Amino acid sequence: MCTSTVSATGGASQVKALVKPYGQVGLKYVTDAPIPDIGPRDVLVRVLAASICGSDIHIYDSDPVFRERIGDGMTVGHEFCGQVERVGDQVTTIAVGDIVAAESHVVCGTCYYCLNGVPHLCQEVAGIGFDRAGCFAEYIAIPAENAFLKPPELSLEVAAFIEPFGNALDTAMCVDLFGKSVLVTGLGPQGLMALAVARAAGARRVIGTEVSAYRRRLAQQMLELHGGARQGAQDMILDATQPDVAEQVFRATNGLGVDVVLEMSGHPAAIATAGTVLKHDGHLVALGLPGGAIEVDWSNHLVLKGCTFHGIYGRHLYQTWFTACELLESGAVQLEPLITHRLPLERFDEGFQLLKRGEAAKVVLYPTAAEGLAQGVGSHG
Ligand SMILES: [Zn+2]
Ligand SMILES: [Zn+2]
């Protein structure tokens, strides 16, 4: 089945992984996960850096939004960068030794949506770390077409972030932000990335709301790094726990509200703020996922405002990947400040707890970092 292999697995047949026990809160660290098999069009990747996504926190918490989807014992995680160790017989685009990041949606290529140019909405999609084994493990098998060569300028960690950055990018690029007032609700990693894109895209004013003081400070840094002050923009980062947060947004926008809201949190209070301060004829772009069904003031916040609602799922395949790489390679968007914590895989729980408390942005887990660094492919900066 395999045309070539290097160092492979050092003879080990059981490896480290984080798996989801169905119905229980948390994840389980195991040391006896099997090394995945690869098919003729797959590649086996040794994971060098993997980052925790907001979706992983929903999975960790066994929230209803993903509870039934994740099979018992599923290896989770879907943001990573690693080195290809084996390739299937029919793989021609990826070679052993390549450093790759990965698109997490494995699509069928033949359904209605795939054939209509929106394969990220594939009806038969299998999500890495949701429906098929994920990357919080020493090894992962993925279709070669999902492997994306790491641009040499990017660190392993930032390459792992291309996948989530693609979500933020699709959210922020959904509407032309040039000259617009933009509110970003929720400044977790996705919101922080969206702030940077909004600034880079020439928004007139960028406002962010966030409950965590830690993340508000990081948001200020991201705005400064992306030229907010130099451009004379009167950007603002607001404390979402303040009862007058909506009034503060109105005061900052001549009482009109904002042209565009990028809703990144999925939190009902943030969604209510978003609907309140959205200008008539505005655009509400939503990426964040509430943990379950929520109440929305449909009439006053959406219909009667004549607004446009955009739901964002995944990334465009592969337009968003190329745009993301160009923005990162050129330095127009810089994600290094978001790397707040680096932990070996077995200390995953610390990472999840930091994220749940809002005291981290991107937490990077290293299943095999020591070996990766020994081979000189790592870049811990
Ligand atoms: Zn994700
Ligand atoms: Zn499809």
Side-chain angles (χ1 to χ4, degrees):
M1 192 68 89
C2 305
T3 50
S4 50
T5 175
V6 285
S7 84
T9 54
S13 58
Q14 295 186 321
V15 293
K16 297 181 278 186
L18 296 185
V19 302
K20 178 66 193 173
Y22 175 79
Q24 294 174 32
V25 171
L27 299 174
K28 190 174 167 203
Y29 174 71
V30 299
T31 55
D32 60 352
I35 293 173
D37 290 329
I38 60 167
R41 296 170 66 181
D42 296 337
V43 297
L44 181 70
V45 180
R46 190 162 59 118
V47 179
L48 298 174
S51 46
I52 301 175
C53 172
S55 301
D56 297 322
I57 298 171
H58 283 301
I59 294 171
Y60 182 100
D61 287 341
S62 284
D63 279 339
V65 63
F66 295 130
R67 190 186 301 149
E68 298 309 318
R69 184 172 164 191
I70 312 293
D72 187 42
M74 177 64 72
T75 300
V76 298
H78 56 274
E79 302 175 358
F80 71 98
C81 181
Q83 186 167 35
V84 175
E85 290 218 345
R86 288 183 199 158
V87 300
D89 290 338
Q90 296 172 20
V91 174
T92 56
T93 53
I94 298 289
V96 168
D98 282 347
I99 306 292
V100 296
E103 166 53 47
S104 64
H105 294 107
V106 178
V107 302
C108 76
T110 56
C111 74
Y112 174 86
Y113 296 106
C114 284
L115 295 178
N116 277 282
V118 284
H120 63 294
L121 301 175
C122 173
Q123 286 172 301
E124 303 295 327
V125 67
I128 290 173
F130 290 81
D131 312 302
R132 53 180 288 153
C135 67
F136 291 156
E138 288 181 77
Y139 288 90
I140 182 171
I142 57 171
E145 67 178 44
N146 283 64
F148 197 91
L149 283 176
K150 180 182 86 67
E153 298 84 354
L154 303 188
S155 67
L156 296 174
E157 292 82 357
V158 170
F161 301 164
I162 299 173
E163 196 265 10
F165 179 51
N167 297 124
L169 191 56
D170 262 10
T171 308
M173 304 278 278
C174 181
V175 180
D176 182 4
L177 300 181
F178 182 77
K180 301 275 173 52
S181 54
V182 180
L183 171 66
V184 182
T185 47
L187 302 175
Q190 289 293 340
L192 292 165
M193 293 184 199
L195 277 186
V197 177
R199 217 351 87 247
R204 176 173 81 248
R205 167 172 261 185
V206 181
I207 303 172
T209 59
E210 166 59 40
V211 295
S212 154
Y214 177 95
R215 287 177 168 175
R216 291 198 300 274
R217 282 194 297 276
L218 209 45
Q220 288 289 4
Q221 286 171 26
M222 286 297 276
L223 285 174
E224 283 159 25
L225 183 64
H226 291 86
R230 282 199 302 282
Q231 291 172 17
Q234 294 171 304
D235 295 340
M236 300 165 61
I237 301 299
L238 302 175
D239 179 353
T241 65
Q242 295 297 308
D244 67 339
V245 67
E247 287 83 68
Q248 291 185 61
V249 175
F250 280 122
R251 276 201 296 276
T253 53
N254 297 323
L256 287 170
V258 293
D259 298 305
V260 181
V261 177
L262 309 178
E263 205 305 294
M264 314 304 277
S265 73
H267 194 282
I271 292 168
T273 300
T276 302
V277 304
L278 183 65
K279 208 187 252 186
H280 290 209
D281 198 32
H283 292 262
L284 175 53
V285 191
L287 177 75
L289 298 175
I294 62 161
E295 209 169 278
V296 174
D297 190 346
W298 189 260
S299 304
N300 293 307
H301 287 177
L302 297 174
V303 180
L304 297 174
K305 286 194 171 179
C307 81
T308 307
F309 176 85
H310 311 259
I312 302 293
Y313 179 73
R315 297 146 295 281
H316 285 82
L317 309 180
Y318 276 82
Q319 302 94 312
T320 307
W321 278 81
F322 289 104
T323 307
C325 284
E326 283 159 12
L327 289 171
L328 295 172
E329 287 175 83
S330 69
V333 174
Q334 297 173 55
L335 301 182
E336 284 79 3
L338 301 188
I339 308 171
T340 56
H341 297 81
R342 303 160 192 266
L343 296 167
L345 185 67
E346 50 268 42
R347 287 173 58 192
F348 68 97
D349 245 329
E350 290 170 52
F352 278 87
Q353 296 310 324
L354 283 162
L355 286 164
K356 281 155 67 85
R357 292 199 302 268
E359 293 170 7
K362 288 311 269 185
V363 174
V364 184
L365 301 175
Y366 297 92
T368 57
E371 297 92 322
L373 287 170
Q375 289 191 4
V377 296
S379 168
H380 279 234

